[in-house]
Amino acid sequence: MIGRFTAACLLLQRTLAFYTPTLSTRTAAQVSMSALAVPLDQELEVWAKDSGFGGIEKSIPAGSSGWASFRKVTVSDPPSNDDDKPVSFFVKSSSRSSEEMFHGEALGLNAMYACSQGSSGDDDALRIPKVYKYGDYSGGKRSYLIMEYLNLAGRSDDRALGKAVARMHLSPATEEAGNPTNAFGFPVDNTIGGTPQPNPWTKPNSGTKEWIEFFRDHRIGHQLDLASDSYCSELWTKDIAPRLHLLFEDLTGDNEIKPSLLHGDLWSGNIGSADGKPSIFDPAVYWGHHEGQQFWEGYRSVIPQDEGFLERKPLYDAYHQLNHYNLFGGGYIGSARSDLEILKKKLDTKE
């Protein structure tokens, strides 16, 4: 499950600035949260000592969501980040297992961190928090995720954001980034918003053919199964999916599609800045075609537009419109239908 890192960090900033609860204002839920923090702090003490970070100096509550609690933690002998500044930690804890709650999030952050070349060592890089540890409590029953705490601010310059995202897309698939076989997919399934997102690996050294099959079956096909809209399903199954390869005829040979690490759910609410650098959060990470990501000024200065992009754009837009419909209902299905109808008309001209 993907966490809401941005909102939690901003909530912490507001909490520290404006509100220090007294005993009389603490609710039963807050008392309960404090009680649960005791075993967490014990886990953190052991982790800090074993990691050579000394002891815990401060462990400050930073709010909660429906599925996890958040804390900002400082240690007596902190490591340094890529800018040689001491690291504070952002800690999430949950009553559910680490495998269920934090495994996918940690792998996604690790991949984005690796593909952003350490995140902060270059002016054109994204600022991604480094994951230090995740796992279950030594006594079981609860779990935690420890990552670098970022001082988040508002959205960065769009040109810098576009260049940084493009650099992440150009980063090669490696074992460090979680893709040792140069395939499409991801080590685990995750979610896009609240919608399950399947990420089975394609074969090693995949290209355009494998990408078409992946997107056909595990993106559009999957969303259509959830939507249960007979018009869209029939349009896709009969008129588009069998001819989908015609939209990718320019992406063969030297132009073969290569796996790029995608944030997966990039929109204005998942974008900010940290230490003056663009930062993106709350991902639905997987390895896919870079065209499946939204673009900003500056992106094309790093990755030029491929021929046929405008023909394929409604295909990638349809995925997000269908996901919005599955999440929120309403008029999004009309937008998805429109995208699919555009694709059908374009394919009709190619035969």
Side-chain angles (χ1 to χ4, degrees):
M1 180 177 292
I2 299 300
R4 291 292 179 252
F5 179 79
T6 314
C9 286
L10 293 176
L11 173 62
L12 175 58
Q13 292 172 0
R14 291 195 296 267
T15 301
L16 294 179
F18 302 118
Y19 180 63
T20 302
T22 64
L23 184 59
S24 61
T25 62
R26 294 172 70 189
T27 66
Q30 289 172 311
V31 173
S32 176
M33 187 183 298
S34 297
L36 291 173
V38 174
L40 173 61
D41 285 343
Q42 293 172 350
E43 296 286 337
L44 294 175
E45 283 283 0
V46 172
W47 162 76
K49 181 179 179 181
D50 290 346
S51 301
F53 300 154
I56 302 298
E57 285 193 335
K58 293 182 181 179
S59 180
I60 305 171
S64 64
S65 68
W67 53 269
S69 298
F70 313 126
R71 303 183 77 80
K72 181 183 179 182
V73 173
T74 56
V75 295
S76 58
D77 190 12
S80 297
N81 64 16
D82 295 329
D83 289 329
D84 292 325
K85 296 178 181 178
V87 172
S88 297
F89 302 97
F90 185 72
V91 180
K92 299 182 178 183
S93 62
S94 172
S95 60
R96 293 146 82 177
S97 71
S98 172
E99 182 70 23
E100 181 181 4
M101 295 304 302
F102 298 129
H103 184 55
E105 180 176 3
L107 292 183
L109 289 170
N110 280 338
M112 290 200 302
Y113 183 89
C115 290
S116 297
Q117 299 183 4
S119 303
S120 59
D122 194 290
D123 288 340
D124 289 340
L126 289 166
R127 188 72 169 89
I128 306 296
K130 181 178 180 179
V131 173
Y132 281 84
K133 187 177 181 180
Y134 66 97
D136 296 317
Y137 284 26
S138 55
K141 297 183 179 180
R142 295 184 63 84
S143 61
Y144 59 90
L145 168 65
I146 305 171
M147 69 181 80
E148 179 185 5
Y149 178 84
L150 298 185
N151 293 307
L152 294 170
R155 184 164 172 166
S156 65
D157 173 75
D158 279 357
R159 182 171 180 81
L161 172 66
K163 292 175 69 175
V165 170
R167 285 194 53 174
M168 184 177 76
H169 288 176
L170 288 175
S171 185
T174 63
E175 185 171 0
E176 181 186 9
N179 189 0
T181 63
N182 195 37
F184 299 109
F186 201 62
V188 297
D189 295 341
N190 49 30
T191 60
I192 177 167
T195 308
Q197 181 169 262
N199 297 310
W201 286 118
T202 58
K203 72 176 187 179
N205 298 313
S206 288
T208 301
K209 178 178 180 293
E210 290 75 26
W211 169 247
I212 294 171
E213 294 169 350
F214 179 92
F215 199 82
R216 179 193 68 202
D217 297 339
H218 304 299
R219 292 298 178 260
I220 299 292
H222 170 67
Q223 292 284 355
L224 285 171
D225 287 344
L226 297 175
S228 298
D229 182 84
S230 59
Y231 177 79
C232 285
S233 293
E234 183 173 353
L235 192 61
W236 175 257
T237 302
K238 291 185 177 181
D239 296 311
I240 300 174
R243 303 183 291 172
L244 199 57
H245 63 281
L246 298 177
L247 296 174
F248 293 84
E249 290 180 313
D250 58 309
L251 298 178
T252 59
D254 292 341
N255 295 324
E256 196 84 10
I257 296 174
K258 299 178 181 179
S260 294
L261 188 74
L262 307 183
H263 175 282
D265 189 23
L266 201 52
W267 63 289
S268 60
N270 291 345
I271 298 169
S273 62
D275 302 324
K277 301 178 186 297
S279 187
I280 56 179
F281 350 86
D282 300 342
V285 173
Y286 69 99
W287 291 85
H289 185 198
H290 70 85
E291 287 184 352
Q293 192 80 76
Q294 186 176 348
F295 304 106
W296 287 268
E297 180 186 0
Y299 187 95
R300 292 303 184 197
S301 68
V302 180
I303 301 180
Q305 180 174 304
D306 286 324
E307 284 192 40
F309 163 71
L310 294 179
E311 295 181 353
R312 292 183 290 272
K313 187 175 184 298
L315 174 68
Y316 295 125
D317 289 344
Y319 177 64
H320 293 286
Q321 296 298 337
L322 286 167
N323 182 56
H324 289 159
Y325 175 70
N326 285 323
L327 288 171
F328 310 117
Y332 290 110
I333 195 64
S335 297
R337 289 173 181 172
S338 178
D339 287 330
L340 295 179
E341 288 168 348
I342 292 170
L343 289 172
K344 179 186 180 302
K345 290 178 181 178
K346 177 55 64 176
L347 289 168
D348 288 344
T349 67
K350 290 180 172 291
E351 288 192 331

